[in-house]
Each structure stands twice: as C-alpha cells, then as structure tokens.
Amino acid sequence: MPVAKTNLAQLYTEIGDVSLLDHAPYDQIVTASQYYDPRAISFKIRFGYIVDKYSKRPQEIWVLFYPPTKEGRHPEMQFHSFDPDTNAFTKHDDSNISTTVSALASAFNNPKKAAKGKHVALAKYYYLKALVSREAGGASELEIPIPITRTFVDSLRVVCREFEEAKERSSRSPSVTLVDDHDSVLSDPPEDLLEPTQPVKASSMVTAEVSSNLTPDVNIQRLETLLAVCDDERELQASNSALDTEKKALEQRCRVNKEKQAELNARRELVLKGMSLMDAFKLGGQMEREEKRRKLA
C-alpha cells in the first residue's frame, strides 16, 4: 500500500471518530505547484494573507511540507509569503504566524482563537489527503510516514470540533457562544530542520482598518479572487512578453536571411560576369550534372 494512504489510515485509527475529520474544510484548500525548493513536496497550500509593512499590499502566505528524511523524524511545515511583483519569499517560522497573519484562507479559518498547533495539524491532514489522491496517478512523494503523535491527533480533534461547533451555532440562536479550553495546544517541535529559519520581514501588526476589511469570509473570497486575477494577468503579460521576444527574433532572422540572399546574388553575378549566353548555358548544365552526382554519392 502506498505510504501516504497507509499513513492516513493510521491517522484515522488514532482519531477514532473518523467522521470528526469531515468537518475540516478540505474541499476548500487551494494548492499550487512549487519547484523553488526541491526538498519540499512539489505543491503548496494557501494559508492566508499578510500585509507587507513596506508596500502595504497583501501578500499570499503558503504552507510548505518538508517530509521526514528518516524513520521517526517529524515533518517540517514552513510558512512563506510571496511578493506579487518579484516572487521573493519571506519565511515566517520564527513567529506565531497564526496570530500575525492578516487573514486566513477558508481552509484554515477556524472559528475560534488562532493557534499554530491547530493550523499545523490541519496542514498535515490536508497534505496527507492530497498526497493520497495524487498517489492514484503515480508514485508517492511521501517515502517515509510522518509520526502520528498525540499532539498532532489532539490538535486536529480540537480544530475539527471548532468547525463542527460553528456549524451547530449557525443553526441555533446567534446569542449562543461557546468557550474554547483547548487553545494551549502547541505544534509538534520540528526535529529535522532542513535549513536555518530567517528573520520575519513581514509586519506583525496590521491596522484595525485593514484587519476589519480582510477578516469577513466574503472579503477573503474577494481577495482570493482578486489575487487569482492578478496571477492570471501576470501570466498573460509574461506570455505577451515572450511573443514580443519571439517576434523580434523572427524579424532579426528575416533581416539576416535577406542580407545573405543579397550576398549570394552578388556572388552569382560575379561568376557570370563577362560570360556569353552559350558559356553560361554550358556552365549551368555542368552544375546540374555535378549536383546529381553528389546526391548519388
């Protein structure tokens, strides 16, 4: 059995009540290919958005999954934000990204207090499910199973219950509130760091105006749509730029070929200069016979 499928089955066993996982909004995850770090799984999952303190523009944050390199080692989850213009990334692993993020993507937007441990648990679960679906079409990227620790299982239970309780609250009176007593769950400590973490460059504080604009689900969806439009526009611009480059290269080749043809015409005229029509005719016949001989040789 493929590694990811076996690993997910182990998680189901440890969770006990598998139906609890149905409340995690796996169907809302947004993935994208990533090839800049070959040590991580070849796709990333959108975690949310953060406002850059310099440009004041929202930047996407993605969570990357670094699988274990030895049996029993923990995987590493890294959070990277990307500049929409330069695609330069900033790592957010020295801070609690769950509290400094400006807005969470729908798949990680748990209804209660944000905690990195809960979000890391969600990310691990999402990656396992996504890897299982991809295993059906080819080889698995997960060669060593990730440890199903008690911290992982407990954190996943907590956040799934939050989503479950939110659904129940939506069907009851809006005055009903629930108190969460599980917000102290911490993330599994990474035991196999693949590279040193970098200082956080993005702002850890967002103005109340920006925060209020980004928090509602409807505005998060609008932001996701707008960022997707920007991504498509950049791809279109890159395509147009490539076409312009190809067009210029083709025009240059045409000019070079015209110059070569003019040179060939001049050489032919030089050879025939001063010859009579009869001599030119005989020379042409000799040339045809020589070309045939070369083709047969």
Side-chain angles (χ1 to χ4, degrees):
M1 184 180 293
V3 176
K5 188 174 183 180
T6 304
N7 214 175
L8 185 62
Q10 182 187 2
L11 175 61
Y12 287 160
T13 300
E14 293 296 328
I15 284 289
D17 184 6
V18 179
S19 63
L20 185 63
L21 297 175
D22 294 338
H23 299 289
Y26 171 77
D27 60 337
Q28 297 182 34
I29 67 171
V30 177
T31 64
S33 299
Q34 80 80 24
Y35 301 107
Y36 68 92
D37 194 340
R39 292 168 297 179
I41 295 298
S42 65
F43 63 94
K44 54 190 177 180
I45 299 178
R46 182 182 291 161
F47 179 70
Y49 310 90
I50 197 165
V51 176
D52 182 71
K53 66 179 180 180
Y54 300 110
S55 65
K56 306 302 180 184
R57 295 174 58 186
Q59 295 183 0
E60 292 179 305
I61 297 180
W62 300 82
V63 55
L64 275 69
F65 179 85
Y66 293 79
T69 56
K70 293 182 180 180
E71 292 285 348
R73 293 285 183 90
H74 290 274
E76 185 182 359
M77 316 301 289
Q78 290 188 10
F79 297 84
H80 297 174
S81 64
F82 290 81
D83 186 282
D85 296 324
T86 65
N87 282 331
F89 75 91
T90 301
K91 293 173 62 176
H92 298 270
D93 298 308
D94 288 341
S95 66
N96 187 352
I97 187 61
S98 296
T99 58
T100 58
V101 65
S102 303
L104 291 165
S106 300
F108 293 93
N109 193 19
N110 55 309
K112 296 188 179 180
K113 183 179 178 181
K116 189 175 180 180
K118 293 185 286 188
H119 288 151
V120 167
L122 270 178
K124 290 180 181 179
Y125 170 57
Y126 290 156
Y127 264 106
L128 280 180
K129 285 207 68 174
L131 286 167
V132 169
S133 65
R134 294 180 180 225
E135 280 180 343
S140 174
E141 290 191 68
L142 188 65
E143 298 179 355
I144 299 174
I146 68 173
I148 308 300
T149 64
R150 180 53 49 193
T151 300
F152 175 23
V153 172
D154 288 346
S155 298
L156 190 56
R157 282 176 178 159
V158 168
V159 72
C160 286
R161 288 195 186 101
E162 291 182 7
F163 285 114
E164 180 185 22
E165 291 169 357
K167 293 177 183 177
E168 293 177 353
R169 287 200 302 271
S170 65
S171 62
R172 298 200 301 264
S173 170
S175 61
V176 176
T177 58
L178 298 175
V179 178
D180 182 15
D181 60 350
H182 299 285
D183 289 326
S184 61
V185 180
L186 300 177
S187 169
D188 293 347
E191 298 179 5
D192 187 27
L193 293 177
L194 299 176
E195 62 178 281
T197 56
Q198 302 174 359
V200 178
K201 298 179 182 178
S203 172
S204 61
M205 297 183 64
V206 182
T207 62
E209 179 181 359
V210 173
S211 179
S212 62
N213 287 338
L214 293 176
T215 299
D217 289 343
V218 63
N219 288 323
I220 293 175
Q221 294 174 358
R222 289 179 179 177
L223 181 59
E224 290 181 350
T225 302
L226 184 58
L227 286 171
V229 169
C230 292
D231 290 340
D232 291 341
E233 284 179 340
R234 282 193 293 272
E235 290 183 4
L236 181 60
Q237 291 172 357
S239 177
N240 288 334
S241 177
L243 288 175
D244 289 340
T245 302
E246 292 178 4
K247 181 179 178 181
K248 292 178 181 179
L250 182 59
E251 291 175 349
Q252 177 65 21
R253 289 177 60 187
C254 288
R255 286 194 295 269
V256 171
N257 288 346
K258 287 181 179 180
E259 292 174 358
K260 288 183 177 180
Q261 186 63 59
E263 180 187 356
L264 294 174
N265 292 338
R267 289 168 59 190
R268 179 179 289 107
E269 291 177 1
L270 183 61
V271 170
L272 299 175
K273 185 177 180 180
M275 294 182 67
S276 65
L277 290 177
M278 183 58 69
D279 290 339
F281 180 77
K282 290 180 179 179
L283 181 61
Q286 291 176 350
M287 183 180 68
E288 290 180 359
R289 289 192 294 272
E290 180 63 20
E291 286 182 343
K292 289 180 180 179
R293 187 186 65 80
R294 290 182 180 181
K295 290 179 179 179
L296 294 174

